[in-house]
Amino acid sequence: MVEDVFLQEVINITFLSLRVSGTSVLIGSLVGIPVGTYLGFRQFKGKKTMVRLVDVMLKSIINTFMGLPPVAVGLVVYLLLTSSGPLGWLGLLYTPTAMVITQLIMVVPIIIGVTMSAVGSVERSIMEKALSLGATKNQAACLVLREARVGVLTAIIVAFGAAISEVGGIMISGGNIRWFTRTLTTAIVVETELGNFNMALTLGAILLSIAFVINLALTVLQIKGARR
């Protein structure tokens, strides 16, 4: 009986972690990839000094947000969703949705930044050649995006790795409620503090396995990209 409860809780924690992180990265990709692509394409245009200054500022802001402290993000989400906050009427505090919002704020800048760098690193001659051969701007843009596909996939994988390994932010906004908002990282913290090292080590092994799969996928993508 005890073993059944142990297994059920491990499965519940693992699937909740994957669901929360997967949802935040999916929504973040729908927002971040188009924005990152647009900002990356700006590097193909001839720029005046003022435009370049704006681009530098945008990059600086994105780079700053890529390093946002998770606990600070969690605190902001908490203040927004608490009963006395502006969004308290939604009743989302201490729910998986609040955790998704927290991770979403963290992953969007990562996806935008990596996608922007990937698109911007494509040789300008590729777009110019496509345009000279009669391609429309949209067709040339699709060609550039296709050349940067490995970088875009890297952005998604890096964002997912950052999301699923995050602990401070989702603990503040999610509350770390057993069977409801407890994820791999938050559960490891709690179980270690309680001295339940068997559970903590099991969850740690699962988290490391997920991290290994993520890094393996990233390495394979990089190798395939280098061969083409």
Side-chain angles (χ1 to χ4, degrees):
M1 184 66 179
V2 176
E3 292 181 356
D4 290 341
V5 174
F6 177 86
L7 181 59
Q8 289 175 6
E9 186 165 10
V10 169
I11 293 173
N12 176 268
I13 290 170
T14 303
F15 275 94
L16 178 63
S17 297
L18 293 173
R19 179 161 63 90
V20 169
S21 298
T23 302
S24 62
V25 172
L26 175 61
I27 298 173
S29 298
L30 294 175
V31 175
I33 291 176
V35 175
T37 301
Y38 169 75
L39 294 176
F41 279 137
R42 285 174 63 90
Q43 300 181 38
F44 289 90
K45 301 176 181 179
K47 299 177 182 178
K48 297 179 181 179
T49 304
M50 184 59 67
V51 177
R52 288 180 178 175
L53 282 175
V54 171
D55 284 353
V56 170
M57 289 297 296
L58 285 173
K59 288 181 180 179
S60 299
I61 292 171
I62 292 170
N63 290 334
T64 299
F65 276 86
M66 286 176 70
L68 279 175
V71 289
V73 177
L75 177 60
V76 170
V77 174
Y78 174 87
L79 293 174
L80 289 173
L81 300 180
T82 190
S83 58
S84 59
L87 301 178
W89 57 275
L90 294 173
L92 296 178
L93 189 63
Y94 300 146
T95 65
T97 302
M99 298 159 66
V100 170
I101 294 171
T102 302
Q103 291 192 353
L104 180 61
I105 295 173
M106 294 173 54
V107 302
V108 166
I110 295 175
I111 295 173
I112 291 176
V114 178
T115 301
M116 179 179 65
S117 297
V119 172
S121 64
V122 176
E123 293 184 9
R124 185 173 179 175
S125 59
I126 293 177
M127 175 173 272
E128 292 175 345
K129 185 175 182 180
L131 291 172
S132 66
L133 292 174
T136 64
K137 289 185 177 181
N138 288 335
Q139 290 173 331
C142 288
L143 177 62
V144 172
L145 189 58
R146 182 174 178 272
E147 290 294 318
R149 63 188 180 280
V150 174
V152 175
L153 288 173
T154 300
I156 296 173
I157 293 174
V158 170
F160 183 79
I164 202 166
S165 62
E166 193 277 317
V167 56
I170 57 174
M171 183 174 283
I172 295 174
S173 62
N176 196 27
I177 303 170
R178 190 179 184 188
W179 299 103
F180 187 51
T181 60
R182 186 164 292 180
T183 64
L184 287 168
T185 51
T186 59
I188 290 172
V189 173
V190 171
E191 298 301 335
T192 301
E193 290 178 347
L194 295 175
N196 299 330
F197 297 112
N198 187 30
M199 172 68 92
L201 288 171
T202 301
L203 297 174
I206 294 173
L207 185 59
L208 284 173
S209 299
I210 293 173
F212 173 76
V213 171
I214 291 171
N215 283 292
L216 179 62
L218 178 57
T219 303
V220 170
L221 286 173
Q222 289 174 336
I223 292 174
K224 286 185 176 180
R227 289 177 178 176
R228 294 183 180 181

